[in-house]
Amino acid sequence: MDSTRQLDRSDRIGMYMSVVMVAIGAVIAIVAAVTRLLEVGDGRDVPVLVPLAGDEAALPLGPDGAPVSAAVDVATVTVADPAPATLFALYAQPVWIAVVVVAGLVVAALFFLRLARGRAFTGGAARLAFIAAGIVTVGWLGDSILTNMTTNGALSALSDYTYESVTFEVSLAPALAVLVIAAIGAALQVGEGLQRDTEGLV
């Protein structure tokens, strides 16, 4: 028996438009990676965004640009000659992010195409969601490691290893995304089972 449930024309168009948006997102991710690689260039004078431990700095925020003391949490610094490990991370990070984003968007496109064909609760939909959760997890861990390699390497190079704040920052937003995607996968898996049971009664 055909287990697909055909969407109406407007819903199918919406799903195909989502696929187009996914393709645009992939192009944007690749362009961003290429732009960052061009910034890294030959590995000399590389701009790096680094987190700071609330250090004080005088910024020209007062009347006529008068200096005002402020706590600085992040800053973009220029690293003249990064260490080999830092340079590796500077090159690897944008490539890693682009690969992970494109992989996740490919899975999203496959899922939207499946929905457009009315196959939300057929075999494979839940698997796509679990694959997406895995991609987000691996991408998050890899990006965290590379980001901390670049920031700590940049601070060490600038301070000749005398700056005391060694950072290891991890964003919790990807963890929430993984939970949501995994929950969607579990719901789809339950839906697939219910649909199989329903078809067995027909």
Side-chain angles (χ1 to χ4, degrees), residues 55-196:
D55 296 286
E56 296 285 331
L59 301 178
L61 304 176
D64 298 321
V68 174
S69 180
V72 181
D73 294 321
V74 294
T76 298
V77 298
T78 300
V79 184
D81 188 17
T86 305
L87 189 58
F88 166 78
L90 286 168
Y91 284 122
Q93 186 183 29
V95 175
W96 176 260
I97 293 174
V99 169
V100 169
V101 170
V102 170
L105 291 175
V106 167
V107 172
L110 293 174
F111 184 72
F112 289 136
L113 288 173
R114 183 175 288 272
L115 293 181
R117 294 164 184 163
R119 299 171 59 195
F121 295 111
T122 59
R127 194 159 50 245
L128 286 175
F130 291 133
I131 291 172
I135 290 172
V136 173
T137 301
V138 172
W140 169 39
L141 293 175
D143 181 52
S144 296
I145 293 171
L146 292 172
T147 296
N148 287 286
M149 285 178 65
T150 60
T151 55
N152 290 318
L155 292 173
S156 297
L158 290 172
S159 66
D160 195 19
Y161 300 94
T162 59
Y163 188 76
E164 296 297 330
S165 179
V166 177
T167 63
F168 189 85
E169 292 195 341
V170 176
S171 172
L172 294 181
L176 296 176
V178 169
L179 290 176
V180 171
I181 296 171
I184 292 172
L188 290 171
Q189 195 170 46
V190 171
E192 290 173 9
L194 290 174
Q195 181 162 294
R196 284 194 302 269

Side-chain angles (χ1 to χ4, degrees), residues 8-77:
D8 59 38
R9 186 170 181 272
S10 61
D11 289 336
R12 287 200 305 274
I13 291 174
M15 291 299 103
Y16 289 128
M17 287 299 296
S18 296
V19 174
V20 172
M21 295 302 295
V22 164
I24 294 173
V27 172
I28 291 173
I30 294 171
V31 170
V34 171
T35 301
R36 178 55 179 162
L37 289 173
L38 291 175
E39 285 183 345
V40 176
D42 62 356
R44 302 281 182 178
D45 299 325
V46 183
V48 180
L49 184 69
V50 296
L52 302 176
D55 296 286
E56 296 285 331
L59 301 178
L61 304 176
D64 298 321
V68 174
S69 180
V72 181
D73 294 321
V74 294
T76 298
V77 298

